[in-house]
Amino acid sequence: MTDLSDGAVPRDQPDLVRFLAADGSLRPTPAAEPYAHVVDALADADLEQFYRDMVTVRAFDREATNLQRQGQLALWPPSWGQEAAQVGSVRAARPQDHLFPSYREHVVAMVRGVDLIDIIRVMRGLTHGGWDPTDPKNGNTHIYTLVLGAQTLHATGFGMGLVLDGRCGTGDPERDEAVIVYYGDGASSQGDVHEAMVFAASYRTPQVFFLQNNQWAISVPVAVQSRTPLVKRGEGYGMPSIQIDGNDVLASYAVGRVALEEARAGGGPRAIEAMTYRLGAHTTSDDPTKYRTSAEEKAWQERDPIARMRAYLRGRGAGDAFFQDADDEAAAFAADIRTRTLALGGIDRSRLFANVYSEELGEIAEQERWLTAYEASFEEDAR
Amino acid sequence: MSETMPLSRALNAGLRRALEDSDRVVLMGEDIGPLGGVFRVTEGLQATFGPQRVIDTPLAESGIVGTAIGLAMAGFRPVLEIQFDGFVFPAFDQITSQLAKITYRHEGALQMPVVIRIPYGGHIGAVEHHQESPEAYFAHTPGLRVVSPSTPNDAYWMIQEAIASPDPVIFLEPKSRYWQKGEVDLDASALPLHASRIVRRGTDVTLVGHGAMVPVLLQAAALAEGEGTSCEVVDIRSLSPVDYGPILDSVRRTGRMVYAQEAPGAVSVGSEVAATVMEKAFYSLEAPVLRVSGFDTPFPPANLEGAYLPDADRVLEAVDRALAY
């Protein structure tokens, strides 16, 4: 169904859920009707918050890309183009939920309370993790996982734990906990993802598998990953599976919300395929000019998630002051990240040896002592 | 109070105590429920503790380890069974890229109290992939702890101590010893999890090994005594970290050492122990540390396992070479 042979955008599946057309007009698809009540319940303030989230993270993402180009970061994986898929789904989650990102879900981390300087620190080579998922300020957001798909098994196991402890399925949505795990079209080929779905269905985990199909796994198009729409996989494993226009934040929110509520209530796992596009490169080390066309990129820019939300909000009466304020806030956020990035120091040598185990082993302490003496010996020689 | 029982029953009793002591402990694996495990190590445990504490999993090793990681993140202490040594490899990425590194990656914020029980080693006449000795891959991975009991008493206590450890433990069970009986002290553990132990005193050569090899070393020592050679035998019990204290103490007295293992010798645990002992006890050695290992081939068809696996005679051949220096 995904036809990239002429660089055109993929044709929509007949049962794709979309509320906002690319031009921002409200034109729900037939499959969107069962979710309309969720969208109708959103207040203007909620819609404005979605917009602000997307604009802020895009500014952050551009700043981080610039910082990499300026030698301040080793690497940056941009989320440019995927803002709606991520904002809708993370805003659909409840405070007590648990989130397992891949490595591109910057706005997911931001909305849950993670200080995005912690992602910067990972890309600057100061840490592998960045933040503590058990610290309440981080909103139960797990750190990035760089082995593709590995986090889907961790998320499923966490969901199994919720089932075993009766932390879901009580019927109280304020208390029942759910898990949402993010992964991409490339990762969907990994064996771990399939095993994660097998286990999730077997044990009926309160879990949403959120697949961002951004059409590319570095330079490999999704047509190579799968000969069938990825949304069909979930059904094969025994879970309801819905495709959404991932560039429509309302669809992402509504479908994400229903999926999470059904999962936390004991309905078992669900899958969502969010059709979106990686407008940027895979990371700053990548060169998309070698494998895709600017015509294709342009076609997807006409489906930009932020532009369509802006048009929608304008149609609802939002004025220039609001949009300017959102842009200013985003610019300030990005500027603050820049300032703090440039102020980041190094890391203590002791971090090399710390936390290999829960308590320090004699062997490791001995190696640390050796390195300290070894490095000091150069200073002695220099005198 | 002590009781004589086979090693597999000692493991069963140790698992039972761990399940009783903490409701955070859950067992996971293929066929561990009503079947009680293909070696019956978990026999009766699901009947007592129920299917939410003793969990039969789908047939997917990476899935078993990966979901156990998630369970540990949710506050559980998973104890996994990999059905046979040769089948641990599908889980290798989750074990080495994830389980071993999660505490380091999180700068200590998350612990991984996961035990992976693996029946390992030969002497059971099985088909391919059922008689491997993969310990070196795990001993080489920072962040993992690797242990192997050689007696029922060690099995009973070490499984409980492994489960109590906040770190991931690869727990290698010598399957050829599952039915060997021994006395188990049910009251007190004699040793910490990672301690090595001199199990036989001697004066001329130190024989060192782990798991299924320890009884072979004791057999070799008994035979050697009949020919006037006094061997000391050390059971290292822990392959990562290795407790070198008793080993070095022994070598400083005997001056000669032989390490014996079923695993292929190239880049093995024996290689590491030999190199370290030579570095730390060089001036005490009268001979180089010698290794008796499986040959550097894949494990052969079972008809050839007798030729492949080091036995007491191969150990004594090395003892003679050490004494000839």
Side-chain angles (χ1 to χ4, degrees):
Chain A
M1 293 293 192
T2 300
D3 181 359
L4 298 173
S5 56
D6 59 356
V9 298
R11 280 189 292 272
D12 295 335
Q13 296 296 299
D15 52 359
L16 175 139
V17 174
R18 178 196 299 124
F19 288 91
L20 296 182
D23 63 4
S25 58
L26 186 61
R27 279 187 276 145
T29 57
E33 293 304 330
Y35 299 93
H37 68 285
V38 181
V39 172
D40 292 342
L42 289 169
D44 282 348
D46 298 319
L47 301 173
E48 287 166 4
Q49 185 62 61
F50 293 171
Y51 182 81
R52 287 181 186 280
D53 290 341
M54 292 195 286
V55 169
T56 297
V57 75
R58 184 168 286 186
F60 162 79
D61 194 69
R62 168 182 265 144
E63 185 65 58
T65 299
N66 290 343
L67 285 165
Q68 193 281 333
R69 294 281 181 239
Q70 292 155 16
Q72 297 297 330
L73 302 178
L75 191 76
W76 186 255
S79 61
W80 180 26
Q82 298 176 221
E83 296 88 353
Q86 295 178 13
V87 166
S89 54
V90 71
R91 285 290 179 190
R94 289 181 181 263
Q96 71 269 26
D97 291 342
H98 306 269
L99 293 88
F100 288 79
S102 65
Y103 52 81
R104 207 187 286 283
E105 284 72 38
H106 315 319
V107 72
V108 168
M110 184 185 91
V111 166
R112 295 297 287 192
V114 176
D115 183 349
L116 294 193
I117 199 71
D118 289 338
I119 303 178
I120 295 284
R121 290 194 305 112
V122 174
M123 304 302 167
R124 196 167 158 91
L126 298 173
T127 175
H128 283 327
W131 64 92
D132 175 0
T134 67
D135 185 334
K137 82 172 178 65
N138 292 317
N140 301 333
T141 312
H142 281 263
I143 62 174
Y144 283 177
T145 294
L146 305 187
V147 175
L148 263 63
Q151 73 278 8
T152 59
L153 280 174
H154 307 162
T156 296
F158 198 99
M160 288 164 64
L162 296 178
V163 173
L164 291 174
D165 274 344
R167 289 160 68 178
C168 55
T170 71
D172 179 358
E174 308 274 313
R175 257 194 60 211
D176 283 343
E177 297 165 61
V179 179
I180 179 166
V181 60
Y182 293 88
Y183 62 109
D185 48 288
S188 75
S189 294
Q190 285 276 12
D192 277 2
V193 172
H194 299 268
E195 296 188 25
M197 288 192 163
V198 166
F199 278 64
S202 230
Y203 298 110
R204 293 179 68 77
T205 54
Q207 179 177 7
V208 174
F209 287 84
F210 196 93
L211 193 172
Q212 289 171 80
N213 180 352
N214 66 12
Q215 313 305 319
W216 292 96
I218 309 187
S219 68
V220 178
V222 66
V224 173
Q225 306 296 347
S226 181
R227 291 305 192 194
T228 188
L230 290 170
V231 65
K232 289 188 183 251
R233 292 236 176 110
E235 298 272 2
Y237 290 101
M239 63 185 80
S241 193
I242 312 288
Q243 190 188 57
I244 65 170
D245 181 334
N247 284 2
D248 171 9
V249 72
L250 300 184
S252 180
Y253 175 80
V255 175
R257 183 69 169 186
V258 171
L260 283 162
E261 297 299 91
E262 289 176 348
R264 80 175 73 259
R270 272 100 175 93
I272 298 173
E273 180 193 9
M275 296 292 280
T276 180
Y277 192 78
R278 197 197 69 206
L279 282 173
H282 164 65
T283 68
T284 44
S285 296
D286 182 31
D287 177 9
T289 66
K290 298 184 88 68
Y291 55 82
R292 66 188 195 186
T293 65
S294 50
E296 178 186 290
E297 292 174 358
K298 191 167 180 312
W300 275 96
Q301 280 178 341
E302 281 157 23
R303 295 168 63 134
D304 186 286
I306 293 179
R308 89 169 68 172
M309 191 59 172
R310 182 163 55 238
Y312 177 61
L313 290 175
R314 272 210 190 280
R316 288 174 67 97
D320 289 344
F322 164 72
F323 294 112
Q324 187 60 56
D325 189 67
D327 284 346
D328 291 345
E329 184 184 61
F333 187 95
D336 174 63
I337 287 291
R338 171 174 207 80
T339 302
R340 289 198 287 151
T341 299
L342 298 179
L344 287 172
I347 47 176
D348 196 71
R349 190 66 96 249
S350 64
R351 282 272 315 285
L352 200 169
F353 300 97
N355 302 305
V356 180
Y357 298 94
S358 291
E359 60 175 21
E360 194 183 43
L361 292 188
E363 293 80 348
I364 296 174
E366 193 180 314
Q367 292 183 5
E368 184 172 9
R369 277 193 295 274
W370 182 89
L371 182 63
T372 303
Y374 173 77
E375 291 185 336
S377 74
F378 286 96
E379 291 156 36
E380 283 161 22
D381 290 346
R383 286 201 219 103
Chain B
M1 185 178 73
S2 72
E3 198 181 313
T4 298
M5 65 180 78
L7 195 146
S8 55
R9 268 243 290 127
L11 288 167
N12 184 281
L15 289 168
R16 182 174 286 275
R17 268 196 71 171
L19 285 160
E20 286 165 359
D21 285 350
S22 167
D23 65 2
R24 299 285 84 195
V25 175
V26 292
L27 309 191
M28 296 166 64
E30 297 158 19
D31 304 291
I32 64 167
L35 186 66
V38 293
F39 293 106
R40 307 294 184 268
V41 174
T42 58
E43 184 149 65
L45 295 178
Q46 192 184 67
T48 303
F49 296 97
Q52 303 220 311
R53 302 285 309 282
V54 180
I55 303 168
D56 271 337
T57 64
L59 209 168
E61 286 78 12
S62 190
I64 294 169
V65 177
T67 55
I69 289 170
L71 277 162
M73 290 171 170
F76 287 84
R77 306 186 78 89
V79 182
L80 316 180
E81 178 174 307
I82 298 293
Q83 198 159 82
F84 284 93
D85 35 69
F87 303 129
V88 74
F89 298 105
F92 199 74
D93 183 73
Q94 286 287 344
I95 295 172
T96 56
S97 295
Q98 306 303 329
L99 188 62
K101 296 182 179 180
I102 280 177
T103 297
Y104 188 79
R105 189 178 299 149
H106 284 82
E107 299 179 43
L110 285 188
Q111 295 182 326
M112 286 283 115
V114 177
V115 176
I116 302 182
R117 298 178 37 243
I118 308 178
Y120 88 104
H123 290 294
I124 65 166
V127 292
E128 201 182 357
H129 313 296
H130 293 67
Q131 305 200 91
E132 304 293 310
S133 291
E135 55 263 33
Y137 299 108
F138 304 114
H140 181 66
T141 302
L144 296 178
R145 295 177 182 266
V146 185
V147 301
S148 186
S150 70
T151 65
N153 192 64
D154 271 350
Y156 177 75
W157 288 108
M158 288 171 76
I159 189 63
Q160 294 179 66
E161 287 152 1
I163 292 170
S165 173
D167 294 322
V169 180
I170 307 296
F171 193 90
L172 294 160
E173 300 173 357
K175 68 169 92 72
S176 64
R177 309 291 301 165
Y178 271 152
W179 301 278
Q180 296 305 310
K181 293 183 181 174
E183 202 170 300
V184 175
D185 178 349
L186 295 166
D187 295 323
S189 169
L191 284 174
L193 180 62
H194 298 292
S196 59
R197 184 160 65 106
I198 296 173
V199 296
R200 180 194 163 105
R201 287 277 168 187
T203 57
D204 302 332
V205 185
T206 302
L207 307 179
V208 189
H210 59 273
M213 193 55 61
V214 177
V216 174
L217 296 178
L218 289 169
Q219 183 191 16
L223 289 169
E225 184 159 27
E227 290 166 13
T229 299
S230 164
C231 294
E232 186 146 287
V233 177
V234 181
D235 177 359
I236 67 165
R237 300 169 81 251
S238 176
L239 288 71
S240 177
V242 175
D243 174 18
Y244 283 98
I247 302 172
L248 294 170
D249 164 65
S250 176
V251 170
R252 288 185 183 118
R253 284 183 284 104
T254 66
R256 295 163 212 270
M257 179 176 145
V258 172
Y259 196 99
Q261 57 198 350
E262 292 189 17
V267 202
S268 60
V269 170
S271 305
E272 172 65 23
V273 175
T276 302
V277 169
M278 283 196 274
E279 192 179 314
K280 297 196 178 215
F282 181 71
Y283 291 108
S284 301
L285 287 168
E286 299 294 329
V289 175
L290 300 178
R291 288 163 290 158
V292 178
S293 314
F295 300 108
D296 293 318
T297 68
F299 200 94
N303 267 4
L304 290 171
E305 75 175 3
Y308 180 90
L309 291 166
D311 58 9
D313 284 332
R314 291 252 294 274
V315 174
L316 291 174
E317 190 274 337
V319 167
D320 288 343
R321 273 189 288 130
L323 288 169
Y325 273 85

